[in-house]
Each structure stands twice: as structure tokens, then as C-alpha cells.
Amino acid sequence: MSMQEAERRRPIPRRVVGGLQQPLPPLAVPTPARQPVPRPAVRDRAGRRLYAIDGIRLLAALMVAVHHYAGTHRVDQPGNRIWDRPVSDIMPTVFRFASYGWIGVEIFFVISGFVICMSCWGRSPRQFFTSRVIRLYPAYWFAIVFTTAVLIALPGVWDRLRTRDVLLNFTMLQSGSGVMNVDGVYWTLWSELRFYLLFLVVVWSGLTYRKVVVFCCVWGAAAMLAPISKLPLLELVANPEGAWYFIAGLSLYLMHRFGQDLLLWGILAMAWLMGQRELGIRIDEVEHVSGWRGSVAVFTVFLLAMVAIALGATDRIRWKWLVTAGALTYPLYLMHYAAGTAVINRLRDTMDARLLIASVIAGFMLLSWLVHRFVERPAARLLKRGLDTSFARLRNAGA
């Protein structure tokens, strides 16, 4: 008999339980303990409202408004349509500071990356789509009607678009069709829309720490390659002018939700390095009024403020008025430029220029609150109800 057969025929050890013999359990063989894989832990404060972001958002909107009224290359030219003479001659100190206000747009992009990632966590693509529609379109539609009406009533500063181009603006897709914006500030919406479409892919697959990190890396690589590829489609999708600001916001939210680590700091550092280059390009090609060093300094201060928010340094800030302030920024941004400069053109000789700018901004803030209260809120409820019904219909039709 072989040793294997002897081993097989050996009696099975048994124990007596309740008068019956039962097989004993096999001897436990010690196995090396598995080391737990470290996973990012969700912080308790991940679901709290970050009031400080609302404050930064309002500050960025005010920076952009002051820049458009008193800090652009356009308003500093002799015989310009807004002030009729260089604004640096009228109020040199205001011009010096206002010339850096355009950086508020880049800050908007960083905040957008942060807030979109935060608001979409745990949501479905349908919820993501609905939230973007009800957030973007009601105030935007009102702004188109309002700005067009003001430009008709106060001609002389801006050329009016043809009716068919104004109508196309209601889609928010006019930049993709090569049609001009009713108001020049709408160019940022085209950048935002491309970001939303890209991020929708990640939302559809289910947001996780790993997927957002991979998305940042892949998008960043595409944004770096797009300018030298000479491929229009890649440049359109990769959005190299704005990608790194959105990526910075995404990495900051991951720090906020999961805690900081070297990889996230590396992504943020890369976003800063690429961002400062984009700032320089914009100064050379568009702005022409501010210096690179000052622009990078302003952007860096804002980015450090966002880092402080992400790491919890501002958690104690809970001023309720900041919620309202944050809600005003979008309609304020949409309405202030073309209409505001048209108003300044008519009132520039009636009061001190600084008082006029302050009054116009205050007026647009009041109007923005009215739009938020009586346009955005009711329209958002109606749109949400209609979209929910439509998506429910789609589900039932598919079933």
C-alpha cells in the first residue's frame, strides 16, 4: 500500500456531541496576515457648505466687473467709446489695480472645477445634466434679453447682432457655430460647457478618487499635446487655455474630501506651472495692460486661499449672507459688461468716475438679486420638474 492510500484510509478524528459522533473541524493552517490596502477616508466635513468659496466667487466677479469698466486695454485708448479718453488719465490708481481684475475669470474656472466635483459626487449622469441646465440657462436667457434691450435703448458703444445670431445665443452653443456672443463675457461659458461634457464621462462611470485623478492626468496630457498637435478637434476637446484651472479645482476638491497626498500636490503644482504660462499668453495676446509677475502673484494668492479652504482652515466661516453673495455672482457676471459700459457711456459726465463705477456695480448687484429671486428660482423649479418627467418617460419607454 502506498503512503498516499494509507493517508487516505486513516480514520477521521471525531468528537461526541449529544451522543453522536461528528467529524472534528480541520486544523487551522496559519496564513500570513494580509496588509490592508490604504484607502482615502472621507472626511466628516465633506458634505458641509463651504461659505468661503461663495465669498471668493463674489470677489472674483467684482474684480472682473471693475476690470471691464476701468482696467481693459480698450478703455485706456484715446477716444474710446466708453470714457472717451484713457481711463488711466481719469483715475490712474483705480486703473492700476483694475488692470489685474481679469484674473477673476481664471479663479472662476478653479472654483468651477472644485464645485462641480463636489456637487456631482454620488449623483447620476441624469442628475448632473439636470443640475447644470437649471443652473446655467435661466439667468443666461434673461441676460440675453436684458442686454439686447439695453443695447437697443443705448446705442453707440456696441454693435448689435443680427436677430438670427441673437436667437442662436439662446442655445449657449454659438461659439461652436462661429457666431459672436451677445455679450463678450459669454466666451467663458463655452469653456465651461466643454469641461462639463468631459467630466460627464467620469460621472457616468461613477466618481471615485482614482477615476478623478486619472481624469486629471489624461486631460492634462491632452491639454499639453493639443497646441503642438495642430489637430483642431483635439484642441477643441482638450481646451488647453482653461484645462489646467479646472484641473486645479478638481485636485483641490480631492484634497478636501480625501485628504492631501503627494500625488494631489503634484497635480496642483503642475496646474500652477501651466497656469502661469497661460496667464502670460493671455497678457501678450489679449489683455496688454498688466504685468506677468503681478498677475501670477494675484493668481497664486487666490490659489493659496483655495488650498486653505480645501484643507479646512476656513471651516469656521459660516456667514449666511455669503450664500446670497455667491448666488449673485453668475447673473452679475452675465449682465454687467455690455449693458454696464453702455450706461457708463451715457452717465460719464454726470458724476465722479469712481462714484459712477461704484453706482453701476451696486445697481447690477441689486438687479442680480432680483434675477436670482424672481427668475432663477422659479425657472429652476419648472425646468427640474419638466426634465424629471422627461427622463422618467425615457426610462419607461426603455422598459
Side-chain angles (χ1 to χ4, degrees):
M1 181 183 299
S2 65
M3 292 182 63
Q4 288 84 355
E5 289 180 345
E7 185 68 25
R8 223 172 19 246
R9 295 183 179 183
R10 178 180 297 173
I12 298 176
R14 297 179 179 272
R15 61 181 173 182
V16 178
V17 179
L20 299 175
Q21 289 187 343
Q22 294 184 352
L24 291 174
L27 295 175
V29 180
T31 57
R34 294 179 61 186
Q35 296 296 325
V37 178
R39 294 183 179 180
V42 177
R43 296 186 171 191
D44 291 336
R45 57 187 175 83
R48 297 180 185 175
R49 185 179 185 92
L50 300 175
Y51 293 86
I53 285 185
D54 292 312
I56 290 183
R57 185 184 288 159
L58 177 62
L59 181 58
L62 293 175
M63 285 176 58
V64 173
V66 174
H67 172 69
H68 283 150
Y69 295 158
T72 65
H73 180 69
R74 177 191 178 96
V75 299
D76 200 40
Q77 300 304 303
N80 68 81
R81 292 184 178 182
I82 300 168
W83 294 101
D84 192 44
R85 58 195 178 104
V87 74
S88 59
D89 294 343
I90 303 172
M91 37 186 171
T93 303
V94 173
F95 172 76
R96 192 175 301 114
F97 287 98
S99 63
Y100 290 92
W102 58 271
I103 303 170
V105 171
E106 279 65 29
I107 299 302
F108 278 141
F109 288 161
V110 174
I111 293 174
S112 181
F114 189 105
V115 172
I116 291 302
C117 193
M118 176 174 62
S119 61
C120 292
W121 209 276
R123 289 190 175 186
S124 66
R126 175 184 61 81
Q127 292 171 320
F128 173 70
F129 176 82
T130 301
S131 68
R132 291 304 87 205
V133 169
I134 66 177
R135 178 71 181 98
L136 292 180
Y137 277 97
Y140 174 72
W141 288 333
F142 179 87
I144 291 174
V145 175
F146 170 77
T147 300
T148 302
V150 171
L151 297 186
I152 292 173
L154 303 176
V157 178
W158 301 100
D159 297 329
R160 285 171 46 204
L161 299 184
R162 296 175 297 180
T163 302
R164 62 185 179 186
D165 293 338
V166 173
L167 292 175
L168 185 62
N169 268 249
F170 281 91
T171 67
M172 206 181 284
L173 304 176
Q174 63 273 10
S175 294
S177 302
V179 172
M180 292 186 64
N181 297 302
V182 168
D183 193 318
V185 299
Y186 297 169
W187 73 267
T188 61
L189 299 176
W190 181 237
S191 189
E192 292 272 358
L193 285 176
R194 286 180 284 167
F195 165 54
Y196 296 158
L197 288 174
L198 284 176
F199 201 64
L200 180 61
V201 177
V202 190
V203 175
W204 175 78
S205 67
L207 287 179
T208 65
Y209 173 86
R210 175 184 293 180
K211 288 177 182 177
V212 177
V213 167
V214 170
F215 173 77
C216 291
C217 296
V218 172
W219 190 18
M224 283 190 289
L225 295 174
I228 62 172
S229 69
K230 306 303 180 183
L231 297 174
L233 181 60
L234 180 59
E235 290 194 53
L236 177 67
V237 174
N239 186 15
E241 299 84 8
W244 288 103
Y245 304 117
F246 294 114
I247 290 172
L250 293 172
S251 65
L252 285 165
Y253 179 70
L254 292 180
M255 285 187 185
H256 170 72
R257 186 177 183 91
F258 298 104
Q260 56 183 311
D261 58 43
L262 184 59
L263 180 59
L264 294 179
W265 279 113
I267 293 173
L268 184 61
M270 181 65 76
W272 182 87
L273 290 169
M274 297 300 292
Q276 61 82 25
R277 178 180 178 276
E278 292 299 330
L279 294 177
I281 293 174
R282 184 167 170 186
I283 291 170
D284 295 340
E285 297 181 356
V286 180
E287 300 301 336
H288 309 297
V289 289
S290 53
W292 172 82
R293 289 183 178 86
S295 300
V296 172
V298 173
F299 176 69
T300 303
V301 168
F302 271 99
L303 205 58
L304 290 175
M306 289 297 297
V307 169
I309 294 172
L311 299 182
T314 62
D315 284 354
R316 293 185 179 181
I317 297 178
R318 297 183 179 278
W319 305 327
K320 300 297 184 182
W321 63 270
L322 287 174
V323 178
T324 303
L328 301 183
T329 56
Y330 183 55
L332 173 62
Y333 176 79
L334 293 175
M335 296 186 295
H336 79 276
Y337 184 34
T341 49
V343 170
I344 289 174
N345 167 263
R346 294 304 176 94
L347 300 179
R348 66 192 179 201
D349 298 323
T350 62
M351 65 182 77
D352 178 80
R354 290 162 294 187
L355 178 60
L356 175 57
I357 290 175
S359 301
V360 171
I361 291 177
F364 274 102
M365 289 184 69
L366 175 59
L367 177 60
S368 298
W369 181 84
L370 293 172
V371 171
H372 172 65
R373 179 67 180 82
F374 297 106
V375 176
E376 281 190 301
R377 284 184 180 178
R381 286 193 293 268
L382 291 174
L383 281 173
K384 187 177 186 308
R385 191 179 305 125
L387 288 172
D388 287 344
T389 302
S390 299
F391 281 117
R393 215 173 189 187
L394 283 173
R395 285 197 306 271
N396 294 336

